[in-house]
Amino acid sequence: AQSVTQPDIHITVSEGASLELRCNYSYGATPYLFWYVQSPGQGLQLLLKYFSGDTLVQGIKGFEAEFKRSQSSFNLRKPSVHWSDAAEYFCAVDPGGYNKLIFGAGTRLAVHP
Amino acid sequence: DVKVTQSSRYLVKRTGEKVFLECVQDMDHENMFWYRQDPGLGLRLIYFSYDVKMKEKGDIPEGYSVSREKKERFSLILESASTNQTSMYLCASSYRGTNTEAFFGQGTRLTVV
């Protein structure tokens, strides 16, 4: 069955430190890949997406993600975290191209001042 | 800006009640979705609609039904609410084609007592 794994449930970083959130997927072909962010009490906001082409994708708020086919991974990175980045982050895949998304369990990010 | 609006942010209902969650989008999107979000499980697809009066079961449809009488509106119905349906419910919409993205509402936190 198709699945998405986010190995880290909670991550804490200091403000200004770099960040990497991990995401692995299980799917035969290359699916469409997404990262969403959810601030407390809010809906989901799209950070970035990968459909094809360049495997390094730039998103909003200074985030980027790299698709690695050989590792079935789509890790999210940010070089310098801000306190406002504290939120829950979800990796998602769309195997069929219809936006019927399969989500990971999420990674909750805390940022220390 | 795309707007996906869910009619209630918070709802408290009694066991056995019939519950309606309403979602409206203003972007003329063909696809609409209902997801359920639970801690540690991420988001799971309940139902999907790709056109007016068309629907398709998602991964966890048991205990739910949906209605789409107009393109912009997608309703989730709990025929007889149970305590295990206490959760956050998120509506989303997207265009039908590939290489598109889903836009999410703010969510409805439903508590069944």
Side-chain angles (χ1 to χ4, degrees):
Chain A
Q2 299 143 3
S3 65
V4 178
T5 302
Q6 293 181 247
D8 305 305
I9 299 173
H10 293 278
I11 284 184
T12 301
V13 300
S14 297
E15 192 168 17
S18 63
L19 173 70
E20 182 169 28
L21 303 183
R22 295 181 290 164
C23 174
N24 293 94
Y25 64 89
S26 170
Y27 183 63
T30 299
Y32 299 138
L33 297 158
F34 304 82
W35 275 100
Y36 283 87
V37 61
Q38 185 179 37
S39 298
Q42 302 297 312
L44 271 67
Q45 181 182 22
L46 181 69
L47 284 175
L48 46 78
K49 59 194 176 190
Y50 173 78
F51 293 146
S52 64
D54 192 347
T55 57
L56 186 62
V57 180
Q58 301 297 320
I60 63 171
K61 305 186 181 189
F63 285 93
E64 66 178 26
E66 186 172 13
F67 167 59
K68 292 186 177 179
R69 186 190 309 274
S70 60
Q71 298 176 19
S72 296
S73 70
F74 189 55
N75 294 349
L76 182 71
R77 301 194 293 246
K78 187 169 184 178
S80 178
V81 171
H82 188 262
W83 64 265
S84 61
D85 293 324
E88 190 156 22
Y89 292 79
F90 292 95
C91 180
V93 304
D94 175 10
Y98 299 102
N99 280 306
K100 290 167 63 178
L101 300 173
I102 300 171
F103 283 87
T107 298
R108 186 169 295 280
L109 174 67
V111 181
H112 278 329
Chain B
D1 271 359
V2 174
K3 201 154 195 179
V4 180
T5 303
Q6 296 183 228
S7 55
S8 304
R9 292 295 302 274
Y10 301 94
L11 275 179
V12 180
K13 296 292 181 180
R14 295 195 179 278
T15 302
E17 274 193 80
K18 189 169 186 175
V19 181
F20 292 85
L21 303 184
E22 308 285 348
C23 175
V24 176
Q25 51 94 3
D26 66 357
M27 278 300 291
D28 204 34
H29 286 162
E30 294 87 1
N31 296 341
M32 295 190 75
F33 311 82
W34 276 106
Y35 289 89
R36 170 176 171 158
Q37 181 180 7
D38 298 289
L41 297 177
L43 283 75
R44 293 175 291 168
L45 182 64
I46 305 172
Y47 265 98
F48 160 57
S49 170
Y50 50 92
D51 205 343
V52 175
K53 297 190 186 295
M54 306 304 286
K55 61 186 179 185
E56 189 175 298
K57 291 180 180 179
D59 298 318
I60 52 165
E62 296 79 17
Y64 303 95
S65 61
V66 290
S67 172
R68 193 162 180 205
E69 297 295 319
K70 293 186 177 182
K71 190 175 186 180
E72 68 271 18
R73 187 180 296 271
F74 192 34
S75 303
L76 180 69
I77 304 159
L78 287 66
E79 295 289 343
S80 178
S82 65
T83 55
N84 63 13
Q85 293 178 309
T86 292
S87 187
M88 171 74 95
Y89 292 88
L90 288 151
C91 175
S93 70
S94 76
Y95 288 115
R96 180 177 296 156
T98 56
N99 292 14
T100 63
E101 65 187 76
F103 295 86
F104 284 80
Q106 296 283 73
T108 296
R109 184 164 296 282
L110 172 67
T111 302
V112 182
V113 297

